[in-house]
Structures are given as C-alpha cells and as structure tokens.
Amino acid sequence: MINNFLIISCTGKNNSIGLKTNHKFFTEKLQNNINSNNLLVSNILRFTNKHKVELSNKYSIIVNIGPGSFSSLRISLSVAKGIQTVHGSKLYGYKNEQLSELKLENIEILIKNNQLKDKVVNLVYQ
C-alpha cells in the first residue's frame, strides 16, 4: 500500500507537485515557462524542505506519464527515476486523463483501484 508519496505532474500545462506525509497532503503549482523544466529538481527540494520531509524508500514516487509536452514528461520521469535510484523508492505512473485534479481524494482512488502502473517506461505523447 502506498502511504507517503511525492507526485509529479508536469505535462507542460498546469504543472504541479504534491506530497503526502504523515496523513497530510500539500500541493504546489509550478510555473509553466521555458525554464520550469530546468527548475524541477530545485522546486522539489525546496518543497520537501519546506514541509520538513526527507525523501527515502518510505516514499513512493508517482509521475504523470502523459499525454503532454515531450520535454516536460521526459524531464519529470528522469527526475522521478533519479529519486528512485538514489532512495530506492517505488515508482508509479498514471495517465493524465486518470487524474482530473491533483487532490488527495483523487489520488487515493487511483491507489485503491490499482490503477497506477509500476512500469513507467512507455510515455504517452500528444
């Protein structure tokens, strides 16, 4: 069961990240501009530090796998794979249409219904 997680939704539109820790859920919208992809790691580090969370293998990583911007999807997946490699976190993916809004209730439905993919290599592009 996925209890604590970092969720990354960067498709080029309405980019945001979310964090569930200790039964609390936080979200942050990210800027959608040419530099936003380059700042994703910095934004995640700042976001986790702000909420006093240190990512570890106790946190799953959930990443939006598309459809969306090729660059945004590849960068967010690369960051997620990097976190997985460094911390030994579980990595899951979901398609954009599965999650209408980045809200805890919606994410928990995906988790409960086993709709997350644990093999996230195949991205879906526009």
Side-chain angles (χ1 to χ4, degrees), residues 19 21-22 46-54 59:
L19 179 68
T21 184
N22 299 326
R46 183 184 42 74
F47 185 61
T48 55
N49 288 337
K50 175 181 174 182
H51 298 290
K52 297 176 176 53
V53 169
E54 187 172 321
Y59 285 84

Side-chain angles (χ1 to χ4, degrees), residues 93-95 98 106 109-117:
Y94 70 94
K95 292 182 181 177
Q98 290 178 288
N106 297 344
I109 290 170
L110 288 178
I111 294 168
K112 180 181 174 186
N113 294 336
N114 293 319
Q115 293 178 310
L116 297 175
K117 295 182 178 201

Side-chain angles (χ1 to χ4, degrees), residues 6 8-11 37-42 44 55 61-66 69-87 89-93 120-123 125:
L6 171 71
I8 304 169
S9 181
C10 295
T11 61
N37 291 332
N38 299 332
L39 300 174
L40 183 57
V41 172
S42 298
I44 290 172
L55 294 176
I61 311 302
I62 304 172
V63 64
N64 190 331
I65 57 173
S69 160
F70 177 81
S71 298
S72 296
L73 293 171
R74 294 297 293 175
I75 289 169
S76 60
L77 182 60
S78 296
V79 169
K81 289 290 282 180
I83 294 169
Q84 177 193 32
T85 301
V86 169
H87 297 294
S89 304
K90 299 261 186 189
L91 179 59
Y92 300 94
V120 293
V121 176
N122 298 327
L123 295 174
Y125 304 111

